[in-house]
Each structure stands twice: as structure tokens, then as C-alpha cells.
């Protein structure tokens, strides 16, 4: 039983390390696309290890049951939101390295994409 | 566990700095998403420290609303005519 507590503590330590890397990543990268690529992944993984670590500390109880539910929500929703934010920024005309496409040029760009699909 | 809680609060402050400093509106949206994820973690750690189970319900509901809010803001922004900002680059 005591071994679970130790593993839980180690996992929580690992998740704090992930968080630190995520914060470091968000300040190191200068462009939005690079930043999202790094931080969304690290933040999700950090949270998941944190939740698993806490579940191990609390053993088999309602508490870790609710933690499992949060774990499921996080593993589904967090990458989804990162994807949606990225897709929205791409459609709004934000390109790599801060280059922004004006709305007027954007319309003909979108029309070209539709033709390709047909 | 207090150490982990303090670490989370410090990371939250760093994300707030990024939201304030973020050049484009998309950085701010990303920052808001991360802040809501960070708040969920703080709730979870606080709940596990005090061994109170009902706090986790708040975390579940808050995470759902936070993510849904971010999704709709992103959808709204993608339809806006967001040309280059008239002021500085």
C-alpha cells in the first residue's frame, strides 16, 4: 500500500516538471503556431500524470473515481480545444511568423480551397 | 503537497503574463484556455489535500464550461474580419 503512495508522489513530481517545461516553452517560442504546438501537448500530459498520481495516492475510492472522470474529460477535450483554436486562427488568416493575410485576399484563398475539394 | 500548489500558482501567474503580453489575439485565447486548465489543477490539488470529494464536481463542471467557452470564442473569432491591426504591427 505504501508503495502506491511513493509512485503517486513521483508522478506528481513528474507532472510539475512537465508544467515547468510548458511554462518555459510558452515564453521561449516567439510565434503562436510553435507555442501552441508545444504547450497544448505538455499541458495535457502534465495534467494527466498529475491526476494519475493523485489517484494512486487515494487508492480505490469515490475520490479517484471522480478523478478518472476528469481524466477522461481532459484527454478528450484538451487536444480538441487546441485543434479548434489553431483551425480558427488559420481560417482568420494568421500565418506563420506573425504574417497576417488581409480579409480581402483571404476570400479568394478560401474560394481556391473549395474548388480543390470538388 | 503545498509545494505543488504553490508551483501551480506560479505557473498560473506566468500564463497570465503571457496573456497580457501575447502579441496576437490567438495567444490570448490560448492563454485563457491554459489558465482554465491550470485552475482545474489547482482545484484538484486543493481537493486532494483536504480530502473533500465534492470539490471535484466543481472541477468537472468548470472544465466543461471553460473548454466550451474557448471553443465558441475561437469559432466567433475565425469568422471576424481580423485584418492587420491598424496600430503597430
Amino acid at each position: 500500500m505504501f508503495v502506491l503512495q511513493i509512485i503517486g508522489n513521483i508522478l506528481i513530481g513528474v507532472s510539475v516538471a512537465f508544467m515547468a517545461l510548458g511554462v518555459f516553452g510558452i515564453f521561449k517560442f516567439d510565434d503562436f503556431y510553435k507555442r501552441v504546438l508545444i504547450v497544448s501537448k505538455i499541458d495535457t500530459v502534465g495534467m494527466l500524470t498529475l491526476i494519475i498520481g493523485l489517484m494512486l495516492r487515494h487508492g480505490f475510492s469515490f475520490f479517484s473515481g471522480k478523478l478518472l472522470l476528469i481524466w477522461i474529460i481532459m484527454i478528450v477535450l484538451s487536444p480538441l480545444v487546441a485543434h479548434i483554436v489553431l483551425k480558427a486562427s488559420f481560417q482568420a488568416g494568421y500565418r506563420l511568423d506573425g504574417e497576417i493575410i488581409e480579409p480581402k485576399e483571404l476570400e479568394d484563398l478560401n474560394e481556391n480551397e473549395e474548388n480543390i475539394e470538388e | 503537497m503545498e509545494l505543488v500548489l504553490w508551483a501551480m500558482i506560479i505557473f498560473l501567474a506566468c500564463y497570465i503574463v503571457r496573456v497580457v503580453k501575447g502579441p496576437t489575439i490567438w495567444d490570448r485565447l490560448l492563454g485563457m484556455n491554459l489558465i482554465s486548465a491550470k485552475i482545474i489543477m489547482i482545484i484538484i490539488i486543493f481537493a486532494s489535500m483536504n480530502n473533500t470529494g465534492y470539490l471535484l464536481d466543481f472541477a468537472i463542471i468548470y472544465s466543461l464550461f471553460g473548454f466550451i467557452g474557448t471553443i465558441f470564442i475561437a469559432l466567433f473569432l475565425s469568422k471576424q474580419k481580423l485584418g492587420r491591426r491598424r496600430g503597430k504591427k
Side-chain angles (χ1 to χ4, degrees), chain B:
Chain B
M1 284 304 271
E2 284 78 15
L3 197 66
V4 180
L5 199 63
W6 282 110
M8 288 296 158
I9 290 168
I10 291 163
F11 295 150
L12 186 74
C14 297
Y15 282 142
I16 289 175
V17 165
R18 168 47 64 187
V19 166
V20 169
K21 199 172 74 166
T24 64
I25 196 168
W26 306 105
D27 298 309
R28 295 197 173 95
L29 194 59
L30 172 72
M32 289 313 294
N33 176 29
L34 292 174
I35 285 176
S36 73
K38 197 61 65 184
I39 288 172
I40 295 161
M41 287 183 221
I42 288 174
I43 294 175
I44 289 174
I45 292 171
F46 190 74
S48 89
M49 266 161 53
N50 301 354
N51 266 320
T52 49
Y54 57 86
L55 273 181
L56 287 182
D57 308 341
F58 301 147
I60 294 169
I61 293 167
Y62 181 75
S63 68
L64 292 175
F65 283 145
F67 283 134
I68 288 173
T70 309
I71 288 172
F72 283 127
I73 291 172
L75 288 181
F76 170 71
L77 281 180
S78 69
K79 292 184 178 50
Q80 286 291 313
K81 292 287 176 288
L82 285 176
R84 183 175 303 281
R85 262 201 312 202
R86 297 298 162 266
K88 55 186 171 59
K89 183 211 170 281

